[in-house]
Amino acid sequence: FNLSTSPTWRNVEQELTLAQLQAEILIKDPQLMQKEIRVPLKGEASLKLGEKQFRTAIQTQFDESKANITLGLKNFSNPLIDFKIDIDQFNLDRYVKNEVQEDHPSNAEQTKSPLNLKWIEALQVRGNIALHRLQVKNLKMSVGLLWQVLTF
């Protein structure tokens, strides 16, 4: 993760602003078809300490995908997380190897512990994830998938 921006601090409002946020996420995984995937991020972010709020709006475009992401966080001690993710299209075939899976899990897979997600129960989250076009195993879907997340 690389971040390049010049922050602005307003002392009276106790606000930190990153007006021209630029960052890059580098994904390296031997399970992926590409050795590495670079995801450039552009947008803005602000942290208002007096109001206990964090807000960001980020855009990205990599390969043929474009995404707009907004994220908000209120009340740091008992946070309420708001988000919206809107992705125009995603071709999963470009990234995931098309390998035949074994019917029997390996010994390493059998000994894995289940993932503990109890911490999620304490979160207050509301948001939407929209994916307009998806390609998986050469199957192209243009139905506009929408997931709504709401926990309290």
Side-chain angles (χ1 to χ4, degrees):
F1 182 80
N2 288 329
L3 178 65
S4 59
T5 187
S6 296
T8 303
W9 173 256
R10 288 186 228 151
N11 200 30
V12 175
E13 295 91 358
Q14 290 187 318
E15 180 178 359
L16 177 68
T17 303
L18 303 171
Q20 295 179 355
L21 176 68
Q22 291 189 5
E24 180 181 75
I25 298 173
L26 176 61
I27 302 168
K28 292 183 178 183
D29 188 335
Q31 300 292 328
L32 298 175
M33 285 177 49
Q34 300 176 24
K35 290 184 180 180
E36 62 182 40
I37 300 170
R38 294 182 181 272
V39 182
L41 304 172
K42 292 183 179 182
E44 60 188 32
S46 69
L47 175 64
K48 297 180 180 179
L49 294 176
E51 297 176 23
K52 298 180 182 177
Q53 288 187 13
F54 172 77
R55 276 232 154 303
T56 187
I58 297 173
Q59 300 81 39
T60 187
Q61 179 174 355
F62 65 98
D63 294 333
E64 69 268 1
S65 301
K66 292 180 186 176
N68 292 309
I69 303 160
T70 58
L71 174 68
L73 178 67
K74 296 178 184 175
N75 189 8
F76 301 145
S77 58
N78 186 20
L80 170 62
I81 302 168
D82 277 309
F83 70 90
K84 181 178 179 184
I85 302 171
D86 188 12
I87 304 168
D88 68 341
Q89 60 184 338
F90 192 71
N91 182 350
L92 198 57
D93 293 339
R94 287 184 67 121
Y95 308 104
V96 179
K97 291 181 181 176
N98 219 357
E99 296 177 353
V100 177
Q101 296 286 328
E102 293 180 15
D103 290 339
H104 305 288
S106 68
N107 287 341
E109 291 174 341
Q110 290 176 356
T111 59
K112 287 183 182 176
S113 317
L115 187 59
N116 183 354
L117 299 175
K118 283 220 173 257
W119 58 272
I120 291 177
E121 293 175 2
L123 292 179
Q124 298 181 73
V125 179
R126 63 180 176 212
N128 293 313
I129 303 171
L131 178 56
H132 301 281
R133 289 186 304 274
L134 175 65
Q135 179 176 327
V136 179
K137 298 195 180 220
N138 290 322
L139 176 63
K140 296 178 181 180
M141 297 173 269
S142 297
V143 292
L145 303 170
L146 176 67
W147 296 275
Q148 187 168 17
V149 177
L150 185 61
T151 65
F152 286 98

